[in-house]
Amino acid sequence: MNDALYVAATGMQAHQISVDTVANNLANVNTPGYKFSRLSFQDMMYRELGQNPALGSTSLGQSLSQGMGVAIDGLSKVFAPGELRQTDNALDVAIAGAGFFEVTLADGTGAYSRGGSLRVNPDGFLTTADGNLLKPNIHIGKDAKSIAIGRDGRVMVTAANQRVPTEAGRLELVNFSDPAGLQALGHNLYASSERSGLPEAGRPGEDGVSALAPGFIESSNVKLVDEMVNLMVAQRAYGMSVKVIQAADEMLGMSNNLRR
């Protein structure tokens, strides 16, 4: 049996997923807070060829083994910082370094986000752009005429009948021992996993926790040049796997056409 057909097929499948990953990264090049995905590969199981010299044994009598293709080892997010873009919006706040905002989803479960475009919901609470409540909850109120967020996360609110702002609460950040192990949920949200570890909460600017950048949003960390190079490499590797299948098919055709 010609194993090259099956080995090359694993290469085509793996590099097709690589192209899909690059396509998703490029599609989100302008998505605020997006972190690009990185695909890693590993070789698959090996098959012993045996001791028969015709099957390939070494001069020392050691049996040879043949690789059976390639498999996807993992698909992880790379949380390198993106460029901070100034908006001067009072409710835009970027994380100047590592860390995540903890939010509560509509079903009551927790998640983590890098998105810093905040809103005030109809109940007067501070939420993300998708309407997820921040944790801890910060009540702004419905009659606030101005809101200011400091680098240390303090949220200062001036009500319509006040001249002096009062502190409505303080934003917190959480960190993970291995952020690459977070599970992407979409909408700039992530869930913790066994690999990422448990979240460790802290106040911005204290005890090594990143400070905030009020009036800024974080751009995507996708680098167009790197993604185009990855695309060309994946395309070339896919094409070579196709050529291997074509060559193996021709060899099988030659075998079938042998005459006694």
Side-chain angles (χ1 to χ4, degrees), residues 73 77 80 82 88 102 124 130:
D73 182 47
K77 289 287 185 180
D88 293 326
E102 187 173 3
D130 292 328

Short mmCIF file of all heavy atoms in Angstrom, two decimals, residues 73 77 80 82 88 102 124 130:
data_model
loop_
_atom_site.label_atom_id
_atom_site.label_comp_id
_atom_site.label_asym_id
_atom_site.label_seq_id
_atom_site.Cartn_x
_atom_site.Cartn_y
_atom_site.Cartn_z
N ASP A 73 -1.24 20.35 16.56
CA ASP A 73 -0.88 20.23 17.98
C ASP A 73 -1.70 21.18 18.85
O ASP A 73 -2.04 20.86 19.98
CB ASP A 73 0.61 20.53 18.16
CG ASP A 73 1.05 20.37 19.60
OD1 ASP A 73 0.69 19.36 20.22
OD2 ASP A 73 1.73 21.28 20.12
N LYS A 77 -4.14 31.64 21.24
CA LYS A 77 -4.09 33.07 21.04
C LYS A 77 -2.75 33.62 21.53
O LYS A 77 -2.20 33.17 22.54
CB LYS A 77 -5.22 33.75 21.81
CG LYS A 77 -6.61 33.50 21.23
CD LYS A 77 -6.83 34.27 19.94
CE LYS A 77 -8.25 34.13 19.44
NZ LYS A 77 -8.48 34.89 18.18
N ALA A 80 0.14 39.31 22.68
CA ALA A 80 1.04 40.45 22.57
C ALA A 80 0.21 41.72 22.50
O ALA A 80 -0.89 41.72 21.93
CB ALA A 80 1.92 40.31 21.33
N GLY A 82 -1.50 45.18 21.47
CA GLY A 82 -1.77 45.88 20.23
C GLY A 82 -1.51 47.37 20.41
O GLY A 82 -1.32 47.86 21.53
N ASP A 88 -10.33 59.75 22.81
CA ASP A 88 -10.81 60.84 23.68
C ASP A 88 -12.24 60.62 24.15
O ASP A 88 -12.90 61.55 24.61
CB ASP A 88 -10.71 62.20 22.97
CG ASP A 88 -9.26 62.62 22.74
OD1 ASP A 88 -8.42 62.29 23.60
OD2 ASP A 88 -8.97 63.25 21.71
N GLU A 102 -12.93 41.32 33.97
CA GLU A 102 -13.84 40.22 34.23
C GLU A 102 -15.27 40.69 34.04
O GLU A 102 -15.64 41.77 34.52
CB GLU A 102 -13.66 39.68 35.65
CG GLU A 102 -14.47 38.43 35.93
CD GLU A 102 -14.16 37.80 37.28
OE1 GLU A 102 -13.34 38.38 38.02
OE2 GLU A 102 -14.72 36.73 37.57
N GLY A 124 -28.20 51.75 34.63
CA GLY A 124 -27.18 52.62 35.20
C GLY A 124 -25.89 51.94 35.57
O GLY A 124 -25.05 52.54 36.25
N ASP A 130 -20.89 45.00 24.43
CA ASP A 130 -21.89 43.97 24.17
C ASP A 130 -22.94 43.87 25.26
O ASP A 130 -23.80 42.99 25.21
CB ASP A 130 -21.22 42.61 23.99
CG ASP A 130 -20.39 42.54 22.72
OD1 ASP A 130 -20.76 43.21 21.74
OD2 ASP A 130 -19.36 41.83 22.71
#
